[in-house]
Amino acid sequence: TKRMSHGWQLGGSIVYSSLKGNYSYAYSGNSWTAPFNNPNWYINSDGTIPDTRPLIIKLWGTFTFPYDLVASFFVIHQSGLPWGRTVSVTPPTAWVAANNAQALSYALQVEPSGTRWTPDLDNVDIRVEKTFKMGKIGKLGIFLDVFNLLGFQTMNVTVNPGGTWRPTDAGTTAGTFTPGSMIVTGVNGTRIFKLSARFMF
């Protein structure tokens, strides 16, 4: 970090991490109890923890120029999220009747987390400000913020098609697999321009 002096400041950071295990440290819903309620949860659970970001790079700075002009920027690069495909298993009807069980399906990991990754994220934000002196009254600052300057976009896609596996009996590889579908649910990455003013006295 370089503190503001001689008309400029600059800072940055690099974080590299490798989080391995079979238990997420993040809390969402009943995630703290789910691993202890069903032994199926641990199938292919050893791998990269879903909450990890292996690489995060940040860079920011501010520069002053003649004529009361100030420019700032903030840049970030972030690794994507690890994931692995899952499949929903539905027990056979005959097995359910024979064991007096409920015909509930259960989603299983068929790949460890970290087998696949979502795309990396990049973003650049800037601000340019010009100050005008208003005599003895004060100063008027006009500034423009541009968020996502380079127009980086990510598409929200159901990349894990999942699908359903219906075995004909317990302990067999015979059955029917119905693949899921990849669905585009939206696009992130709007470039935003924001013009603002402030009066200082």
Side-chain angles (χ1 to χ4, degrees), residues 4 22 34 115 185:
M4 173 63 81
N22 59 15
T115 304
T185 58

Side-chain angles (χ1 to χ4, degrees), residues 48-102:
T48 304
I49 295 178
D51 312 292
T52 188
R53 301 291 192 282
L55 181 63
I56 300 177
I57 302 174
K58 295 180 181 179
L59 186 64
W60 61 90
T62 302
F63 304 89
T64 59
F65 299 95
Y67 306 104
D68 295 323
L69 187 66
V70 180
S72 302
F73 72 92
F74 179 79
V75 179
I76 184 171
H77 168 83
Q78 180 174 284
S79 297
L81 291 170
W83 65 280
R85 291 183 298 175
T86 62
V87 66
S88 294
V89 180
T90 301
T93 304
W95 182 90
V96 170
N99 291 272
N100 193 28
Q102 289 182 305

Side-chain angles (χ1 to χ4, degrees), residues 171-194:
T172 180
T173 58
T176 303
F177 175 70
T178 304
S181 58
M182 297 182 68
I183 303 173
V184 178
T185 58
V187 177
N188 293 328
T190 303
R191 185 185 289 111
I192 299 175
F193 296 86
K194 181 180 177 181

